Amino acid sequence: MKQRPMFPLFWRIFLSIWLAMAVTVVASSLATGMLLDREREVIERQAGLRDLAEEAIAIREAGNRGEAWRFLRDEGERLELFLVLLEQDENDGKLPSFIRDRMKSGWYPQKPAVLDVGGGYRLVAWPRVQGAGWLNPRFFRAIELGLALLMISLACWWIARLVSRPLKHMESTAQAIAAGDNSLRVSEKIAQRRDEVGQLATAFNAMTEQLCSLLERQKHLLRDISHDLRTPLTRQRIAIELANEAGADEELMASILRQNERLETMTGQILTLYRVTEAGGDIEREPLRLVHVINQVLKDAADYAEHQGVDCKLVVSPESSRASVLGDEGLLQRAIDNILQNALDHTPPGRAVHLAVTVADDWLMLTVDDEGPGVPDELIGQLFEPFFRADKSRGGTGWGLGLAIARDIVAAHDGVIGAAAGETGGLRVTLRLPVFFGGG
């Protein structure tokens, strides 16, 4: 494909402003010239000037040139005009130089009007400063400034639109992609622009394609590895049990069996994360009492909590005990169990994990506070990323998948999950789900 020639944004902006200024100068000059021509035409159309000229001619031909000059001066003051009577045969029929200069020069806003009054004479008239027939120079400056302001404003508007619209489109596209819509790209109309904005859009689309491809390959890799691991792990478990029955070293077999169970648990978590991510919001939903789901999770975790030497304390507000959510019971139970297991793993023996359920602004909220060592503020934002472990502050034996799975399950239920420092110094995880008002 033949590459289209570039037209850099710098030159677009530069030429736009330059053209706007050039058009302003030309337009203001044309407008000023039209107004001056109109002014001269108004003077020339004054019928009384011909009568004055004829009377001045009569005085002059009577042999009194000074009287004729004073007559025109007095009448000019009355009419607020400068009046000069010239014979056509003077200077070979040319106007005096001071008249020609005044007519041609742009420095004189009051341009002379020349009237042929017959008898070989011409009357030259031009407005006096501040006279009724004179257009004030400020008026011309106002016209020029107004045209300049209009043209520069139009040029700036066009430039701002040229730059801001595609950038705003790219920003909204980037936000939508960050929110999970990986199918969006910057429009071809913008990507085909022959400037830096078009190059940026093309690079953005190429980068997005590459990142989405890497993410897709990562998900498929995790899925395939997890599927491929389940069969040999199952067979290994059976072999361990058979070896144990055959009289093998019980302590060694128990250790091998624990490692096998850890691998099976991790494999199951990876597959769960993949299924939730692929399903998105397309999950089966039914009205559920969240308190019932939490109680079931606490019941299942009772033995593990006792083994850890940690108490679990649940506080339920009256309105939340009757509130329902719309969702998949198995997935919600898995999400809450992952949050609780994370809190139990990082709470020292003799301490407690505190759970509270409340309702606020049509949201049903579950907060889980542990009494562990807490997490540094700079790491809290990464807790819900897959395989992230804040081991430096919260040593544990997990794989960093529990909270990531909980995040995706909550997102699939149109909810929100977050973490912050707890009031007791540990970690507080807050889960919010929209209240279902249809009963349950």
Side-chain angles (χ1 to χ4, degrees):
M1 182 177 177
K2 186 178 179 181
Q3 187 175 8
R4 301 174 65 188
M6 283 287 296
F7 187 21
L9 193 62
F10 168 82
W11 289 110
R12 291 193 183 208
I13 296 174
F14 175 80
L15 291 177
S16 298
I17 297 177
W18 187 88
L19 287 173
M21 295 179 66
V23 170
T24 300
V25 172
V26 173
S28 61
S29 298
L30 291 175
T32 301
M34 290 176 60
L35 289 172
L36 292 175
D37 290 340
R38 185 176 179 183
E39 182 183 44
R40 287 197 298 272
E41 292 174 1
V42 170
I43 295 175
E44 292 172 356
R45 285 197 298 266
Q46 292 186 18
L49 291 180
R50 293 187 179 276
D51 296 335
L52 288 175
E54 291 175 359
E55 190 172 349
I57 292 171
I59 296 173
R60 180 170 180 169
E61 290 181 346
N64 196 340
R65 296 173 66 92
E67 185 64 27
W69 179 83
R70 284 189 293 271
F71 171 77
L72 290 176
R73 183 195 63 186
D74 295 338
E75 291 298 320
E77 289 178 354
R78 181 177 64 84
L79 297 174
E80 296 181 334
L81 295 173
F82 288 109
L83 300 174
V84 177
L85 186 65
L86 302 172
E87 294 186 32
Q88 292 186 2
D89 58 357
E90 292 180 356
N91 299 320
D92 296 328
K94 295 181 180 179
L95 293 172
S97 60
F98 77 94
I99 298 294
R100 293 198 307 270
D101 292 342
R102 184 175 289 276
M103 294 182 70
K104 294 178 180 179
S105 176
W107 294 99
Y108 297 100
Q110 59 271 37
K111 300 297 182 181
V114 181
L115 290 77
D116 290 323
V117 293
Y121 288 96
R122 287 179 291 184
L123 181 68
V124 181
W126 67 91
R128 291 177 180 269
V129 176
Q130 303 301 341
W134 176 60
L135 295 177
N136 194 307
R138 295 179 181 176
F139 176 70
F140 295 102
R141 287 197 292 270
I143 291 177
E144 293 175 354
L145 289 175
L147 286 173
L149 179 62
L150 175 63
M151 298 306 300
I152 296 298
S153 298
L154 288 175
C156 292
W157 172 84
W158 185 81
I159 292 170
R161 184 174 181 270
L162 179 73
V163 176
S164 65
R165 286 189 66 182
L167 293 181
K168 187 176 181 181
H169 173 73
M170 282 189 276
E171 179 193 6
S172 61
T173 302
Q175 289 179 347
I177 293 173
D181 190 354
N182 295 335
S183 63
L184 289 180
R185 299 292 183 273
V186 177
S187 69
E188 282 297 316
K189 183 178 179 181
I190 296 176
Q192 291 176 356
R193 283 178 47 152
R194 296 182 296 118
D195 57 17
E196 290 83 353
V197 174
Q199 290 182 324
L200 176 62
T202 302
F204 179 89
N205 285 342
M207 177 190 68
T208 305
E209 287 286 350
Q210 182 71 7
L211 290 176
C212 290
S213 175
L214 290 174
L215 289 173
E216 194 68 21
R217 288 164 58 187
Q218 181 191 46
K219 289 195 299 183
H220 288 169
L221 178 64
L222 289 175
R223 179 199 62 185
D224 295 341
I225 291 176
S226 300
H227 275 296
D228 292 342
L229 281 175
R230 298 196 80 174
T231 299
L233 285 174
T234 302
R235 292 174 180 173
Q236 185 186 61
R237 182 184 182 87
I238 295 173
I240 293 171
E241 293 175 352
L242 291 175
N244 194 27
E245 292 176 358
D249 187 296
E250 292 185 4
E251 185 175 349
L252 177 62
M253 288 298 102
S255 175
I256 296 174
L257 184 60
R258 284 195 300 272
Q259 298 305 317
N260 179 270
E261 290 174 349
R262 281 173 53 80
L263 287 174
E264 286 186 340
T265 301
M266 182 184 69
T267 302
Q269 286 185 332
I270 293 175
L271 288 175
T272 300
L273 180 63
Y274 176 79
R275 283 197 298 267
V276 173
T277 303
E278 286 294 300
D282 299 329
I283 57 176
E284 296 184 3
R285 301 170 185 253
E286 60 178 345
L288 301 168
R289 290 284 175 85
L290 187 63
V291 174
H292 295 170
V293 178
I294 296 171
N295 282 328
Q296 184 61 46
V297 171
L298 290 172
K299 181 179 179 181
D300 294 340
D303 292 339
Y304 183 73
E306 184 177 357
H307 177 267
Q308 294 288 100
V310 177
D311 290 334
C312 294
K313 300 179 180 180
L314 174 63
V315 178
V316 180
S317 65
E319 60 274 13
S320 62
S321 64
R322 299 185 296 270
S324 299
V325 297
L326 195 63
D328 182 291
E329 183 174 3
L331 289 177
L332 287 177
Q333 187 171 334
R334 181 63 176 270
I336 297 171
D337 182 68
N338 286 353
I339 296 171
L340 180 61
Q341 288 293 331
N342 182 77
L344 291 173
D345 286 340
H346 299 99
T347 301
R351 302 288 183 88
V353 173
H354 304 271
L355 298 90
V357 186
T358 57
V359 175
D361 299 328
D362 299 332
W363 289 91
L364 189 59
M365 295 190 298
L366 167 65
T367 59
V368 180
D369 288 276
D370 64 44
E371 296 183 2
V375 176
D377 292 339
E378 63 271 15
L379 298 180
I380 286 181
Q382 304 176 55
L383 287 177
F384 298 97
E385 296 299 324
F387 301 107
F388 176 79
R389 296 172 60 195
D391 291 332
K392 292 182 180 181
S393 59
R394 292 166 64 88
T397 57
W399 301 278
L401 289 171
L403 292 181
I405 293 173
R407 178 199 62 184
D408 289 343
I409 292 175
V410 172
H413 287 80
D414 303 318
V416 180
I417 190 171
E423 295 179 358
T424 59
L427 181 71
R428 167 175 288 185
V429 177
T430 303
L431 182 155
R432 297 196 302 167
L433 294 170
V435 175
F436 176 62
F437 294 98

